[in-house]
Amino acid sequence: MHDDVATAVLRALRGPGRTPERLLLTGWFSFRDGEATAGDVLAQQHMAAALTRAGIPYDTAWSPGFRPGRLCLETADPRAYDTLLFVCGPLHGPQVAALHARFGSLRRLAAGVSVVDPADPAVTGFDTVVPRDGTGAPGRRDLAAAAPAGPLPPVAGVVLSHGQGEYGERRRHAEVSERITGWLAGKDCARVPADTRLATDDWRLCATAEQFLALLPRFDLVVTTRLHGLVLGLRSGTPVIAVDPVAGGAKVSAQARTLGWPALVAADALTPDILDHWWQWALSEAGRSAAACHSMR
């Protein structure tokens, strides 16, 4: 049976007289035109933790599009390292092959990767490959499966309205949505777009009201500019931050007052500070208890 990936890599790194003095940790999350997936980043966290436990100094190269201002492949000086470790994803394509050109003076290893073509220069350029699959040998468990992770953040359902032309010049929907989504982008949360609109010909939308009701209790809170985002969120016992996208207030404000729901923000009073205030309240025991009073579960 194969060793797990991290164990096999550490064994290769610690060969007689071969323990790295300084290692550069890379992956698809390092490429300017690549992509950082949750699995890739968890694989990085897994190997970073393993290297730390083994006492092997390392730096991680990040894509400047993903983590601006951090060390990247373009600014990493090959002379500062003796080893390069590439983790996760497929060993394929010119971006991986380019690592061998830029860092050709370093010992190069790949860990927890898929080997698409063993003869690909992206593969053959590595001194050691510890694959997860693709070689005909038994597969290894992906690095992300047992990677350390921090506390899980809240899950926010985002239910926004972009229409309602009946309000004419009082409509502030586009501006309000832009402010809300810009604010949410800076929150440590998992954002899940949801829509009260039902359809049977679009898999992205719920087909029945019951399907939408099944979704809402999975959220820790709902941020909405829709009347029914407010009503159905509270019906499900989920705290709601309701923003009225109509200048002067309209049906969202009226319904919040009818329900006695305090977390209501007017379009002309929408600021990050007021949203932060209601965010903290919605996730507090007081917010959860208030929402539970409206629940029909």
Side-chain angles (χ1 to χ4, degrees):
M1 181 177 178
H2 277 311
D3 292 331
D4 67 66
V5 170
T7 299
V9 171
L10 291 177
R11 179 180 294 113
L13 289 172
R14 287 167 154 174
R18 306 181 77 185
T19 300
E21 294 185 7
R22 194 77 190 177
L23 180 147
L24 183 62
L25 184 55
T26 67
W28 280 94
F29 51 79
S30 305
F31 298 134
R32 181 178 293 273
D33 298 318
E35 61 180 16
T37 70
D40 292 339
V41 172
L42 285 169
Q44 183 275 338
Q45 291 176 190
H46 190 143
M47 281 310 311
L51 293 168
T52 299
R53 289 194 301 270
I56 297 175
Y58 72 92
D59 294 321
T60 298
W62 295 102
S63 165
F66 178 57
R67 292 192 174 165
R70 303 285 288 274
L71 180 73
C72 64
L73 291 175
E74 291 83 356
T75 58
D77 185 352
R79 297 170 296 181
Y81 306 95
D82 54 25
T83 304
L84 179 143
L85 176 59
F86 184 92
V87 300
C88 200
L91 289 189
H92 175 73
Q95 290 169 296
V96 179
L99 290 176
H100 305 309
R102 176 165 172 76
F103 298 97
S105 62
L106 279 57
R107 181 184 175 207
R108 299 179 302 284
L109 298 87
V113 293
S114 294
V115 176
V116 180
D117 177 4
D120 190 325
V123 178
T124 60
F126 286 99
D127 299 292
T128 302
V129 175
V130 180
R132 64 186 175 192
D133 58 71
T135 63
R140 291 181 172 91
R141 186 165 66 155
D142 184 77
L143 284 165
L152 300 183
V155 179
V158 185
V159 186
L160 302 179
S161 171
H162 303 287
Q164 300 180 339
E166 63 269 26
Y167 290 106
E169 293 182 356
R170 296 171 60 203
R171 296 180 69 253
R172 301 291 185 272
H173 295 65
E175 177 184 349
V176 165
S177 293
E178 184 176 357
R179 290 188 181 186
I180 290 173
T181 54
W183 166 75
L184 279 170
K187 303 299 288 185
D188 182 17
C189 67
R191 295 164 285 274
V192 181
D195 201 325
T196 57
R197 183 167 61 95
L198 305 179
T200 57
D201 58 352
D202 188 339
W203 67 268
R204 293 166 297 184
L205 299 174
C206 294
T208 67
E210 288 77 14
Q211 290 175 10
F212 187 77
L213 289 175
L215 180 64
L216 294 169
R218 272 69 172 183
F219 300 141
D220 293 301
L221 77 166
V222 170
V223 181
T224 188
T225 57
R226 282 191 172 276
L227 179 149
H228 285 119
L230 167 64
V231 172
L232 300 181
L234 294 182
R235 173 193 169 112
S236 300
T238 303
V240 176
I241 301 175
V243 180
D244 195 322
V246 178
K251 59 186 178 182
V252 173
S253 297
Q255 191 64 204
R257 289 192 292 268
T258 298
L259 296 173
W261 185 249
L264 171 68
V265 183
D268 56 3
L270 183 60
T271 65
D273 286 344
I274 192 66
L275 288 171
D276 283 341
H277 167 77
W278 288 119
W279 177 275
Q280 294 170 8
W281 179 81
L283 294 174
S284 70
E285 183 59 38
R288 291 191 293 269
S289 295
C293 294
H294 293 271
S295 175
M296 292 187 62
R297 286 183 290 175

